[in-house]
Amino acid sequence: MQHPNPGQDFPSPTITAPLRLVVADDNPVIRAGLTALLSDREDTTVVAEAADGREAYEAALRHRPDVILLDVRMPGVDGISALPHLVRLAPVMMLTYSHETETVREALRLGAGGYLVHGEFTAEQLTRAVRDVREGRPHVTPGATKALLTYLQPSASAHTKPELPVPLGKIPSQNLSRLQSDLGQSARSRFQLSTREAEIMDLIASGMTNQQIAATCFISEKTVKNHINHIFAKLHSTSRSQAAAKWLGVA
């Protein structure tokens, strides 16, 4: 009597494919940093990059990603304008510097599954947030949460009940409590940058040259260079791209 293959009754081990992501941001430094970080892991990979909302939509149509990481402010079609179209193709997580109350509310109202503010998360927190958004679990960093909480506070028109962009009840209470306790933390305090240094670091991360920073801040290029030297020392960085990656939490 011939014995059956002893292994035929056991299913093959399941190999989980990495989450496929599209990264949309007009800053090539940020795109490169995020792509390097997320593609260097077993559980995530970047299948396409985009410089604006139109490119993000075209990439999403072509690649059908699991999650789209989307900046708010981009030339051409910005993130908020593209968002209603993108959420039909894949879950979207906003990944941006913008934490103005109206921007956060509008993004969540239009269907964003998460809202992360640069400088408020570590590399591990970013990848966990991507998985959460893919599974339908909202993920919001402290700056965005603070915007929502500010909106919910009583105002002069106390008799008018605000319309929430998304039910806060969908955010697990323990997560919301943790976010509220973390509101005081920021990249600025973490790296002990002064207000001016933090402003300049934001501009460096946005891709500005020293000349552009000087014009924006109404200071000389020599002063900009002095600030950058201090910033690099505090961030333990030797280049703009390295400093930007650390500032954005992707290094």
Side-chain angles (χ1 to χ4, degrees):
M1 179 176 177
Q2 191 174 17
H3 292 286
N5 185 338
Q8 67 182 6
D9 294 330
F10 295 92
S12 301
T14 301
I15 300 176
T16 304
L19 293 182
R20 303 169 70 255
L21 313 174
V22 167
V23 173
D25 196 297
D26 63 309
N27 187 329
V29 174
I30 296 177
R31 286 202 313 272
L34 291 171
T35 297
L37 169 70
L38 295 166
S39 294
D40 195 36
R41 300 177 58 92
E42 294 182 354
D43 51 353
T44 56
T45 186
V46 175
V47 295
E49 297 180 21
D52 65 12
R54 184 179 300 281
E55 287 186 13
Y57 182 74
E58 292 171 352
L61 276 177
R62 186 164 59 251
H63 296 280
R64 296 293 175 172
D66 295 303
V67 179
I68 301 168
L69 307 186
L70 184 66
D71 188 19
V72 170
R73 295 195 178 98
M74 295 181 287
V77 180
D78 62 48
I80 296 298
S81 299
L83 186 54
H85 307 283
L86 293 173
V87 295
R88 299 172 188 164
L89 303 177
V92 177
M93 182 170 70
M94 310 306 293
L95 192 59
T96 178
Y97 278 112
S98 307
H99 52 76
E100 293 85 354
T101 302
E102 288 299 322
T103 303
V104 176
R105 285 181 52 226
E106 186 67 3
L108 296 176
R109 185 184 70 80
L110 292 173
Y115 201 109
L116 273 63
V117 178
H118 283 305
E120 295 186 341
F121 54 86
T122 64
E124 187 57 39
Q125 288 169 339
L126 171 61
T127 55
R128 185 169 65 248
V130 169
R131 292 193 296 270
D132 283 346
V133 169
R134 176 66 179 85
E135 297 300 323
R137 295 187 294 269
H139 202 107
V140 183
T141 51
T145 303
K146 185 176 182 179
L148 289 176
L149 294 176
T150 300
Y151 175 67
L152 292 174
Q153 289 174 352
S155 61
S157 54
H159 298 292
T160 303
K161 186 176 180 180
E163 179 184 352
L164 293 181
V166 292
L168 285 181
K170 288 187 177 181
I171 302 178
S173 58
Q174 65 270 26
N175 289 358
L176 187 58
S177 298
R178 186 179 70 249
L179 291 175
Q180 288 173 308
S181 68
D182 289 342
L183 288 179
Q185 298 181 2
S186 67
R188 176 186 160 192
S189 61
R190 186 164 70 250
F191 294 114
Q192 296 185 324
L193 267 58
S194 68
T195 302
R196 175 62 92 181
E197 287 169 348
E199 178 185 8
I200 290 175
M201 190 59 239
D202 279 340
L203 298 177
I204 290 173
S206 72
M208 281 194 180
T209 64
N210 287 1
Q211 184 178 15
Q212 291 171 326
I213 293 172
T216 301
C217 297
F218 301 101
I219 56 179
S220 68
E221 284 190 58
K222 181 179 179 181
T223 302
V224 172
K225 291 177 182 178
N226 289 337
H227 281 305
I228 289 175
N229 288 334
H230 293 150
I231 291 168
F232 281 9
K234 291 180 179 180
L235 269 64
H236 302 290
S237 301
T238 57
S239 68
R240 298 170 89 90
S241 58
Q242 186 182 24
K246 288 187 176 182
W247 184 249
L248 299 173
V250 298

